[in-house]
Amino acid sequence: EFSHLQPEDFTEYHLQIKSVVEKSVEIYKQFVLLCLDILKEREEPDVLQAVIRALPVIIFDSHKNSRQRAALKYYLQNMQISNLPDRMILDVSDVDGAEALQFLEQTFTSPIPGLRLDL
């Protein structure tokens, strides 16, 4: 039944799926930044709760502007343990080691028990 399939059929399909997934990830990253911008604009408990509900996963590039970094820090300092995101992904690949370490030290000023963080 599957004798007509060739290896390139799978490769081509895989590339199409990968392209769709990459586009979705980029759109989600932009949504995260939009939410952080809104949160920085209005640092209020109701806005924080809306952002927490809207973002089950936080994907953040460490080289983003200071306004978005400040919003992320506010988010981390004011969320409750029961509202932890499913996962937080921080991309520090575009900065050198010292700058990445400084970003992490400034962002995570105290331990957050239960936070799942990927670097």
Side-chain angles (χ1 to χ4, degrees):
E1 205 171 88
F2 299 107
S3 61
H4 66 284
L5 293 176
Q6 300 297 313
E8 55 272 0
D9 293 334
F10 295 101
T11 305
E12 193 172 304
Y13 176 74
H14 177 73
L15 292 176
Q16 290 172 354
I17 296 298
K18 186 176 179 183
S19 175
V20 170
V21 170
E22 285 174 350
K23 287 178 186 174
S24 295
V25 168
E26 285 307 311
I27 290 169
Y28 188 78
K29 284 181 177 181
Q30 293 301 315
F31 180 65
V32 169
L33 295 178
L34 175 64
C35 289
L36 290 174
D37 283 340
I38 292 169
L39 182 59
K40 186 59 185 161
E41 183 87 16
R42 294 183 55 203
E43 292 181 347
E44 300 169 7
D46 291 344
V47 175
L48 176 63
Q49 289 306 312
V51 169
I52 288 170
R53 284 192 305 276
L55 300 176
V57 174
I58 295 188
I59 303 172
F60 190 80
D61 296 330
S62 64
H63 64 276
K64 295 300 179 190
N65 69 39
S66 61
R67 179 179 170 90
Q68 291 161 336
R69 285 183 182 189
L72 179 64
K73 187 173 181 177
Y74 174 82
Y75 174 94
L76 292 169
Q77 290 174 338
N78 292 284
M79 69 178 179
Q80 303 298 317
I81 297 301
S82 60
N83 292 329
L84 287 176
D86 293 338
R87 173 180 251 158
M88 182 169 291
I89 302 169
L90 298 178
D91 182 359
V92 293
S93 62
D94 291 342
V95 295
D96 67 28
E99 190 177 342
L101 184 58
Q102 181 182 12
F103 165 74
L104 293 171
E105 287 175 339
Q106 291 173 349
T107 304
F108 296 92
T109 56
S110 61
I112 304 172
L115 179 65
R116 185 171 176 191
L117 179 63
D118 293 345
L119 295 175

